[in-house]
């Protein structure tokens, strides 16, 4: 668990630095930084996604995951949670948040909506980015089973630099992704001794490839090419695990 707290600390530190830097940026420069984040995220996602062993597993996982995520409205739930966090922790005078939409009593609805959207989307995108990679899975197991924190420490450094870019481009919502890091990585670390026997190198490879595909979706959003509800695809990771355990591990 200490490594998980270190990871959270680097994300918070990176977010603070990014927030301080963003105050000196023009809107045009902020857009350029967001584009740079999109390109970096695309490269990272492609690097992960092309490691798949079975494109059939990957395709079915994404399709079934999308259906499950749509029915559960995971993306909407996370965005609503992000809006709730902003309302509780960063209240603005005259802002009313209801049903996931923000409005102002004086009629400045667009300004409030943009503020809420930036916070919630920064929280959503950074949470997914920091949690779906292979380093999260491998590092958590190494920390829980072997007491080896090297992978998580390395991931912490990378996440810290990404947090600087994400916060500068999208806002302070990035910092609150530590909540998801605590839940996800902390949970994996605590459960590692129980589920470690079922985790193989092949499983990690396939899950990482699926996570890479989801990260590519984040990059598409950051580049403004298309609006994709990335969190709705998160159940694909579970389907990928099931496919490997059922059709590969039992051979």
């Amino acid at each position: 668990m200490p490594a998980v707290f270190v990871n959270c600390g680097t994300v918070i530190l990176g977010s603070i630095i990014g927030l301080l830097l963003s105050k000196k940026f023009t809107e045009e420069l902020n857009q350029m930084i967001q584009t740079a984040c999109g390109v970096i995220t695309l490269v990272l996602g492609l690097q992960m996604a092309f490691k798949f062993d079975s494109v059939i597993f990957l395709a079915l996982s994404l399709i079934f995951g999308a259906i499950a995520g749509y029915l559960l409205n995971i993306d909407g739930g996370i965005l609503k949670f992000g809006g709730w966090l902003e309302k509780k922790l960063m209240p603005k005078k005259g802002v009313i948040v209801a049903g996931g939409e923000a409005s102002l009593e004086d009629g400045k609805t667009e300004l409030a909506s943009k503020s809420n959207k930036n916070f919630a989307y920064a929280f959503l995108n950074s949470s997914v980015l920091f949690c779906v990679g292979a380093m999260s899975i491998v590092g958590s197991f190494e920390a829980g089973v072997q007491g080896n924190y090297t992978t998580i420490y390395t991931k912490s450094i990378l996440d810290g630099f990404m947090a600087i870019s994400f916060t500068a481009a999208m806002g302070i919502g990035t910092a609150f992704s530590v909540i998801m890091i605590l839940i996800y990585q902390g949970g994996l670390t605590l459960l590692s001794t129980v589920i470690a026997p079922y985790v193989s190198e092949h499983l990690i490879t396939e899950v990482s490839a699926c996570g890479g595909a989801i990260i590519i979706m984040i990059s598409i959003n950051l580049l403004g090419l298309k609006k994709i509800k990335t969190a709705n695809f998160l159940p694909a990771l579970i389907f990928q695990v099931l496919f490997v355990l059922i059709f590969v591990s039992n051979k």
Side-chain angles (χ1 to χ4, degrees):
M1 285 299 289
V4 177
F5 293 122
V6 170
N7 198 167
C8 292
T10 59
V11 170
I12 292 174
L13 178 60
S15 298
I16 293 173
I17 296 173
L19 187 64
L20 294 175
L21 292 176
S22 67
K23 293 180 179 179
K24 300 181 180 180
F25 294 163
T26 63
E27 181 63 26
E28 181 180 3
L29 185 54
N30 278 333
Q31 289 296 325
M32 292 177 65
I33 292 174
Q34 180 163 326
T35 299
C37 289
V39 173
I40 294 170
T41 307
L42 177 61
V43 172
L44 177 63
L46 288 171
Q47 185 182 42
M48 292 171 56
F50 281 123
K51 292 181 178 179
F52 65 82
D53 288 329
S54 173
V55 69
I56 296 177
F57 286 174
L58 179 60
L60 291 177
S61 294
L62 289 173
I63 293 171
F64 291 158
I67 295 173
Y70 170 79
L71 294 175
L72 295 172
N73 191 24
I74 296 175
D75 194 276
I78 295 179
L79 285 176
K80 186 176 292 186
F81 179 60
W84 178 83
L85 279 177
E86 183 183 30
K87 180 182 177 183
K88 293 297 182 181
L89 302 177
M90 303 176 64
K92 293 179 177 63
K93 185 177 180 180
V95 176
I96 302 174
V97 180
E101 296 292 334
S103 61
L104 282 179
E105 291 178 341
D106 62 1
K108 296 180 180 178
T109 307
E110 183 178 354
L111 177 62
S113 179
K114 182 179 179 181
S115 173
N116 182 59
K117 181 178 180 180
N118 285 345
F119 185 99
Y121 271 72
F123 171 75
L124 169 65
N125 288 321
S126 53
S127 294
V128 175
L129 178 64
F130 295 151
C131 291
V132 301
M135 294 183 78
S136 296
I137 302 172
V138 176
S140 297
F141 281 103
E142 288 180 347
V145 178
Q146 303 172 3
N148 181 1
Y149 304 134
T150 303
T151 302
I152 291 295
Y153 286 153
T154 303
K155 176 181 179 295
S156 299
I157 296 173
L158 297 175
D159 286 353
F161 281 106
M162 286 300 296
I164 294 176
S165 301
F166 265 54
T167 305
M170 294 188 293
I172 193 60
T174 301
F176 292 91
S177 63
V178 297
I179 297 173
M180 304 306 291
I181 294 175
L182 277 173
I183 295 173
Y184 181 74
Q185 284 187 190
L188 281 179
T189 301
L190 293 175
L191 291 172
S192 59
T193 55
V194 176
I195 60 180
Y198 304 99
V199 179
S200 63
E201 184 177 346
H202 185 267
L203 177 62
I204 293 175
T205 298
E206 295 290 11
V207 172
S208 178
C210 189
I214 296 174
I215 289 177
I216 291 174
M217 297 177 194
I218 295 176
S219 72
I220 292 173
N221 283 338
L222 291 174
L223 293 171
L225 300 177
K226 181 180 176 64
K227 173 63 183 73
I228 301 176
K229 296 183 177 181
T230 53
N232 280 351
F233 288 86
L234 289 176
L237 298 171
I238 298 176
F239 282 105
Q240 190 77 310
V241 171
L242 292 176
F243 285 145
V244 173
L245 291 179
I246 295 173
F247 296 106
V248 177
S249 299
N250 291 334
K251 287 184 178 181

